[in-house]
Amino acid sequence: MSTADSATVATATVDFDRHVGIARHEELFPAMPAGWDRHFEREEFVASIGLTSNHIRVTDTFRQEAAESYSPPAAPETPALLLPYQALTVNGWSDRFAARAFVEAINAHGVAHWASGNGRLALAVSPHDAAWSAAQIRRYADRVAAVAVPLVPEMLGSSWWSPIYEACVDTGLPVLVHFSGVEGHYLGAPPLSGGVHASAFARMALMPHVAESNIASLAFESTFLNYPELQFLFAGFGFTWLPALLWRLDREWRTFRHDVPWITAPPSERVLQNMWFTTWPVGEAADIATWDVPFSDALRSRIVFGSHTPHDGDSVGDLAAVLGPEWAARVARNGATLLGDRA
């Protein structure tokens, strides 16, 4: 790739996984629903900002350097989808009313302080209250670019999510799916394969299974019959495992499709029409010859760039260095397609 081509890719590549967060929980108090600041001002919550911020690193270290927080002067120079990652941790909260108040405050704070110019905010919702979440989506629809859903054991293909999906379809917003880091770690969050794993290394290695399980749920249940235009973006799970999953979904459907008569076409077709996937961690895609061959052109067109910045993030340069010029250019084009008129 020439220097000019590299510059074009860097300028054109949209980042669909840029993390934004607060440095102190007290920053949210002015945006809290009436009276909730008194609930959250207790020491056990205020002092937990490091833990809340570092879960996404999927670490067992109780104390480490605080995660970098986002500030308005650091607004991205190129288009980026801003994920308020700390809100995702409510998938492990037992107090569902407090979780709703926390998410509401993060959304209000994010719209006021993070969303501007090239930085388009993903609105967080509560996985514990679908009706309230749908109202939040409609309230903020013209100021956000996606809807981020924290994952819970209720699979994404379940009708429980219907109010949220209806609101997304009505407003034209895609659903952003990203792990919070507490999956397989806290009771109430989704478990990982086989049971409870002892190390952060095992949890991180198995995190793509959370995405795979929900893709299968969406593909085999009636979500896309009810909402054929609904789009999903799976961020932070990698992408090289997709061909094997799609092959297995189609194989099982061909063998047992009489058990799901409402699914009239191979499930992979819905994945290729309604789902997108980010590149992070692009380092997993090294040695391209070992995984590239099974990728159809249609599947290549569903991969977009996600940096995961500032948490062990990838740069556009990393994308080109690992995947090569052809893949890097394709990813840039895909991102422009997904961004559409929300640029």
Side-chain angles (χ1 to χ4, degrees):
M1 183 183 287
S2 68
T3 301
D5 289 340
S6 298
T8 299
V9 169
T11 301
T13 303
V14 182
D15 184 355
F16 286 95
D17 188 13
R18 173 56 157 99
H19 299 170
V20 292
I22 52 171
R24 300 168 61 250
H25 280 131
E26 290 91 336
E27 294 175 43
L28 297 181
F29 287 177
M32 288 277 177
W36 277 100
D37 56 328
R38 298 296 301 274
H39 173 86
F40 284 108
E41 69 183 7
R42 292 176 296 184
E43 180 66 16
E44 62 265 31
F45 179 76
V46 170
S48 70
I49 184 63
L51 197 58
T52 302
S53 301
N54 284 312
H55 276 310
I56 203 159
R57 297 177 178 179
V58 194
T59 176
D60 286 328
T61 303
F62 186 75
R63 291 185 181 276
Q64 59 176 304
E65 292 183 4
E68 179 185 338
S69 59
Y70 175 87
S71 59
E77 296 180 359
T78 55
L81 183 62
L82 309 179
L83 173 65
Y85 67 98
Q86 291 153 327
L88 300 179
T89 62
V90 300
N91 65 343
W93 287 28
S94 58
D95 188 338
R96 300 184 174 193
F97 297 103
R100 193 173 71 182
F102 181 66
V103 168
E104 183 172 355
I106 284 216
N107 287 336
H109 182 86
V111 167
H113 298 282
W114 296 330
S116 62
N118 280 325
R120 300 301 306 273
L121 188 68
L123 183 81
V125 297
S126 171
H128 312 302
D129 192 332
W132 175 85
S133 295
Q136 287 281 292
I137 294 168
R138 292 187 169 90
R139 174 185 177 187
Y140 286 108
D142 61 344
R143 287 172 281 178
V144 299
V147 173
V149 294
L151 293 169
V152 290
E154 193 73 51
M155 304 299 289
L156 291 178
S158 167
S159 60
W160 186 92
W161 298 94
S162 292
I164 291 173
Y165 294 164
E166 288 173 6
C168 287
V169 170
D170 290 346
T171 57
L173 295 172
V175 176
L176 172 61
V177 183
H178 194 299
F179 62 88
S180 70
V182 307
E183 294 83 2
H185 196 41
Y186 285 5
L187 185 64
L192 298 179
S193 301
V196 179
H197 295 269
S199 72
F201 300 107
R203 296 203 311 279
M204 191 67 217
L206 295 171
M207 203 61 74
H209 291 192
V210 178
E212 293 179 83
S213 295
N214 280 287
I215 291 167
S217 174
L218 289 165
F220 284 122
E221 298 186 47
S222 58
T223 303
F224 296 121
L225 291 178
N226 297 325
Y227 313 106
E229 298 177 1
L230 184 61
Q231 298 290 305
F232 285 81
L233 171 61
F234 286 84
F237 298 100
F239 68 98
T240 56
W241 42 267
L242 280 163
L245 174 65
L246 299 193
W247 177 86
R248 186 61 181 265
L249 292 177
D250 286 354
R251 179 183 181 277
E252 296 303 320
W253 173 78
R254 289 189 177 96
T255 304
F256 301 107
R257 57 183 171 181
H258 54 275
D259 290 332
V260 285
W262 56 90
I263 306 298
T264 58
S268 63
E269 292 187 11
R270 274 302 177 187
V271 174
L272 297 174
Q273 293 173 21
N274 297 82
M275 300 186 197
W276 303 79
F277 307 88
T278 66
T279 51
W280 188 89
V282 75
E284 291 183 357
D287 195 8
I288 192 170
T290 64
W291 58 264
D292 179 61
V293 173
F295 268 78
S296 66
D297 190 63
L299 185 53
R300 292 170 192 262
S301 70
R302 309 305 288 188
I303 311 301
V304 297
F305 176 63
S307 71
H308 209 256
T309 301
H311 303 115
D312 305 312
D314 296 328
S315 67
V316 174
D318 295 328
L319 185 73
V322 174
L323 300 183
E326 182 181 347
W327 259 101
R330 168 59 73 90
V331 167
R333 293 196 301 271
N334 297 344
T337 298
L338 177 56
L339 188 68
D341 60 3
R342 292 186 176 273

